[in-house]
Structures are given as C-alpha cells and as structure tokens.
Amino acid sequence: MEQDLRQLGVAAVVDYLPEGKRCQEPRARYLGTSVDRVVQVNAGASFTLHPETIGAGQTLVATATFNDPTDTDSGSVIGFELAEGPVAPCTQLDSDQVAE
C-alpha cells in the first residue's frame, strides 16, 4: 500500500502489525486524517483518500492489523492519521502494554 500511495504522490508510512500489537505513540505530530471511512457490517470497509488535502511536509500514517480468518472473535483494524514533520518507526507494544 505504501508504494501505491507514493505512486499517487502521497508521502506515506504503512505499518502492518500482528493481532494484539500496536505502535508506541506518539510517533509524530498528528493533525487529523484525510481519509473517509465507510464500514458495512459483514461486508468489509472501504476508504476514500483525499490526496489534495495532504500538504508539503505532511505524511499519511496507516497502521493495519488483520484478523485471523479462522477466528470469528478477532477483527481487523486499520487506522489513518495525517502527520506533519518526521514520523518515527513503529516500536511494537502489546495492545494492553503501557508505554514507558
């Protein structure tokens, strides 16, 4: 996804995390998002990116966790944030772990 976004002229950082993990925050100075999300129960989700709202020096940060399709109690999660300035690498923590 990161390469596809860059081909569209969007500076992006995309991290794929195992279920039960998250990135230690803050990784950047977040401004909000430039993505519209539509979720349909049992039909997945779709996202609309608005690249014209991403300015110079800004980076789209996407973090995705995909569920185990054999586990009906797990779910997939994807989050989008718009950052200004540098974005630190993702340091993985357990989802319930408190950052020090």
Side-chain angles (χ1 to χ4, degrees):
M1 180 175 16
E2 187 171 331
Q3 183 178 5
D4 291 341
L5 290 167
R6 289 182 187 271
Q7 287 177 351
L8 294 172
V10 175
V13 172
V14 180
D15 292 299
Y16 297 98
L17 301 169
E19 194 166 6
K21 297 290 186 179
R22 65 180 177 86
C23 293
Q24 182 174 339
E25 296 292 349
R27 299 171 58 195
R29 187 167 81 83
Y30 295 118
L31 305 172
T33 188
S34 61
V35 175
D36 293 331
R37 178 175 34 196
V38 176
V39 177
Q40 298 173 340
V41 177
N42 297 324
S46 64
F47 303 90
T48 303
L49 173 66
H50 300 281
E52 70 279 2
T53 65
I54 300 173
Q58 297 178 344
T59 302
L60 181 68
V61 180
T63 306
T65 302
F66 296 102
N67 68 326
D68 175 353
T70 63
D71 182 356
T72 58
D73 291 329
S74 66
S76 298
V77 177
I78 188 164
F80 296 97
E81 294 285 345
L82 187 59
E84 185 168 61
V87 177
C90 177
T91 299
Q92 291 186 23
L93 300 175
D94 291 334
S95 292
D96 59 356
Q97 184 179 352
V98 176
E100 296 180 12

